[in-house]
Amino acid sequence: MSELRLNSRRRPAAVALVVLVCLSMCRGMAQNAPATTSAAMPNAPAVAPPPVHLTAEQDHQRLMDLLGIKELRPGTEKDANWDEAKGNVYPNLPDPLVEKSGGRVKTSAEWWNERRPEILADYDREVLGRTPANLPKVTWEVVSAAREKMGDVSVVTKRLAGLVDNAGYPRIAVTIDATLTTPADARGPLPVIMELAFAGEFKASLLRPISETGSDEVGNYGQTWEKQVLAKGWGFAVLSPTSYQADDAAGMTDGIIGLANKGQPRNLEDWGGLKAWAWGASRLLDYLETDKAVDAKQVGIEGHSRMGKAALVAMAYDPRFAVLYCSSSGEGGAKLYRHIYGEPLSHIETVFYYWMGGNLMKYAGPLTPGDLPVDNHELIALCAPRPVFVGAGLSAKNEAGKPGDGWADARGMFLAEVAAGPVYRLLGKKDLGTKEFPATETALIDGDLGFRQHGGGHTPAPNWPAFLDFAGRYLHASAGITK
Ligand code: GTR
């Protein structure tokens, strides 16, 4: 079965294979056909044109042209603001509890039926792009299952492949790669933490025997997060978002976005990479709902940096995720666009514009973050009433040789959580409990919004224990063991 799997590293070969198969099928059809050729057969199936391949520069320019933008504001580290006193350029946040009509949201019904859909529509149109309706079906296969030891715990690790139906455009093959590890001796379904992994982390999750140290890709602080999750009596899943959507501007006519778009470049309101990565997380959750080892109502999701942005999007859009650890997600993630410190929007829109919907580029050119109809306190509010933990590292500027997570702007994320508080309160939940930025290494985890700034650099590792304490109030190993 594993031979059938087409992962991202093998994708060019896979695409070539599909093309060859198509060509040979066409040849076969021609050989078997009577003397007439397809030109003489008006009903002959048309072979879909190949995907359009643009360079990142060409695709970026194409979006600029569609928007009529001549230039973006500069966005390098040198152009960024590093002075907190100058960060509050746009002090007026959109009020998550005021409707576009001007009416104040007073009941949870008004939130769910009126205001929340308005915010989602703004995110779809102006920020993240719209996930297409009727995306192809995903069929999950357990490629292998291995019983093994992780530390003292006996576990079963399943390697999973989500095969995406590509009948609508056979030139693009897409597979979602993931693993699921659960304690072998559990007597019932268990909570699971799903990680949205960077490529190196996913590779490490495939090592056999199981890796005791994990990958160094996002920082290694001794004990791995996987062991800490197992110590809670829970399982963990590792998802490879780049297996189904490459982290590459030039790859936007490939992967699930390319498949859905039949190889054509994106329109201004089409989904960006974060939405696509979040879509895959939801598909993995579909699989978890079918796995008897898992209590799918108790699935948490975690991601760091760009994967932290994607994890937040997954949590905001898919109400089945039970709890979130959003680590150093920064600009385009939990940070307020209007808090001008560290990474500016113009950096995302110059280098990583493909993570987002096309329209967001306007706000890094002629318009400013202050013109956005939403801000990311509302992305957090879309997760309400479910618990959200936001983590970050030290805010020192990222200088060569110095640890520092300043680029991700811990304070900008904290302020967003504070401003999401009223929605949590409206829904009967507890907010962060303070508007004061806490001292480094002080966890705020008594409410349904959690926050901690660790003393290290751009890594999720030091905040895992605080997150797991927080998550432990919602996910219960005993739920699995007693059932
Ligand atoms: C940076 C990017 C950030 C963050 C980071 C990462 O270069 O500017 O938004 O996502 O990459 O994902 O590590």
Side-chain angles (χ1 to χ4, degrees):
M1 202 180 293
S2 59
E3 290 85 344
L4 289 177
R5 296 175 63 254
L6 308 170
N7 69 19
S8 60
R9 286 178 298 285
R10 275 184 260 144
R11 181 152 301 124
V15 172
L17 185 72
V18 170
V19 171
L20 279 178
V21 169
C22 285
L23 288 175
S24 65
M25 275 169 63
C26 295
R27 266 202 304 276
M29 279 162 51
Q31 277 161 11
N32 296 335
T36 45
T37 62
S38 60
M41 294 171 20
N43 295 330
V47 178
V52 174
H53 279 129
L54 303 175
T55 64
E57 291 72 21
Q58 287 168 337
D59 188 51
H60 193 269
Q61 188 58 51
R62 188 185 60 83
L63 288 177
M64 298 265 285
D65 293 345
L66 281 174
L67 291 164
I69 298 179
K70 291 274 173 287
E71 61 178 351
L72 300 182
R73 286 187 296 282
T76 68
E77 226 182 286
K78 272 208 230 86
D79 305 308
N81 174 44
W82 296 101
D83 180 356
E84 184 53 44
K86 296 188 184 144
N88 198 16
V89 182
Y90 308 106
N92 299 323
L93 297 181
D95 190 328
L97 292 180
V98 173
E99 294 185 7
K100 287 194 185 287
S101 64
R104 178 152 282 282
V105 175
K106 295 203 190 69
T107 65
S108 60
E110 284 166 358
W111 167 254
W112 290 112
N113 302 330
E114 294 166 23
R115 182 60 181 140
R116 192 174 186 278
E118 282 183 353
I119 295 173
L120 279 172
D122 281 344
Y123 268 99
D124 282 352
R125 197 185 59 253
E126 298 297 300
V127 183
L128 300 168
R130 189 168 293 116
T131 304
N134 306 321
L135 281 165
K137 204 168 160 291
V138 176
T139 307
W140 283 96
E141 287 181 357
V142 179
V143 179
S144 61
R147 202 182 159 113
E148 56 193 340
K149 278 253 178 190
M150 189 167 205
D152 303 338
V153 188
S154 293
V155 295
V156 174
T157 297
K158 292 174 183 157
R159 186 168 177 176
L160 306 168
L163 308 175
V164 184
D165 178 1
N166 67 344
Y169 189 67
R171 287 181 181 270
I172 296 179
V174 181
T175 304
I176 305 175
D177 286 335
T179 61
L180 170 67
T181 301
T182 47
D185 301 321
R187 274 184 283 136
L190 293 175
V192 161
I193 302 290
M194 180 194 299
E195 172 179 65
L196 271 50
F198 284 81
E201 293 178 286
F202 183 69
K203 227 167 149 185
S205 84
L206 298 179
L207 290 178
R208 291 296 169 268
I210 202 162
S211 164
E212 290 291 324
T213 50
S215 133
D216 277 339
E217 191 164 8
V218 293
N220 193 343
Y221 283 65
Q223 206 195 15
T224 66
W225 68 272
E226 293 94 327
K227 276 193 184 165
Q228 295 174 61
V229 169
L230 285 180
K232 287 276 203 193
W234 307 340
F236 60 87
V238 182
L239 171 68
S240 173
T242 53
S243 63
Y244 52 92
Q245 188 61 53
D247 189 5
D248 179 2
M252 298 304 276
T253 50
D254 214 327
I256 183 60
I257 293 180
L259 174 57
N261 227 2
K262 297 192 167 34
Q264 294 303 303
R266 293 181 304 151
N267 290 319
L268 290 176
E269 293 188 15
D270 285 349
W271 55 341
L274 297 186
K275 275 285 204 88
W277 288 340
W279 166 85
S282 290
R283 300 295 68 79
L284 179 55
L285 186 48
D286 295 343
Y287 166 79
L288 296 179
E289 286 180 336
T290 68
D291 192 310
K292 289 190 171 49
V294 179
D295 180 350
K297 294 211 164 18
Q298 300 236 307
V299 173
I301 182 165
E302 181 267 350
H304 171 66
S305 209
R306 67 198 68 187
M307 294 305 168
K309 306 181 213 284
L312 174 56
V313 171
M315 179 84 169
Y317 277 81
D318 189 335
R320 296 174 300 166
F321 286 109
V323 57
L324 168 68
Y325 174 13
C326 183
S327 170
S328 298
S329 59
E331 189 75 355
K335 161 183 168 33
L336 292 172
Y337 290 113
R338 284 169 174 79
H339 188 254
I340 307 303
Y341 184 96
E343 183 172 21
L345 178 56
S346 47
H347 182 262
I348 297 271
E349 287 303 325
T350 304
V351 186
F352 296 122
Y353 69 94
Y354 59 94
W355 292 344
M356 319 302 290
N359 275 330
L360 188 62
M361 206 176 269
K362 290 184 296 198
Y363 301 91
L367 301 175
T368 72
D371 297 311
L372 275 164
V374 286
D375 211 326
N376 284 331
H377 59 309
E378 290 170 305
L379 192 56
I380 297 171
L382 290 175
C383 306
R386 291 162 298 144
V388 168
F389 176 90
V390 170
L394 266 192
S395 286
K397 184 178 167 180
N398 288 318
E399 283 165 358
K402 267 197 188 177
D405 201 16
W407 195 234
D409 183 16
R411 192 177 290 266
M413 294 188 274
F414 172 81
L415 292 171
E417 273 197 296
V418 170
V423 177
Y424 275 77
R425 291 200 300 274
L426 177 82
L427 300 180
K429 297 290 171 182
K430 274 174 84 178
D431 62 14
L432 261 184
T434 179
K435 292 183 176 163
E436 292 296 313
F437 190 78
T440 306
E441 299 186 346
T442 307
L444 302 176
I445 48 172
D446 294 338
D448 298 292
L449 288 166
F451 179 85
R452 185 174 184 269
Q453 182 183 40
H454 64 67
H458 189 55
T459 166
N463 276 336
W464 268 102
F467 165 65
L468 291 176
D469 279 355
F470 176 77
R473 293 183 17 232
Y474 306 94
L475 310 183
H476 306 286
S478 56
I481 289 162
T482 52
K483 257 184 219 168

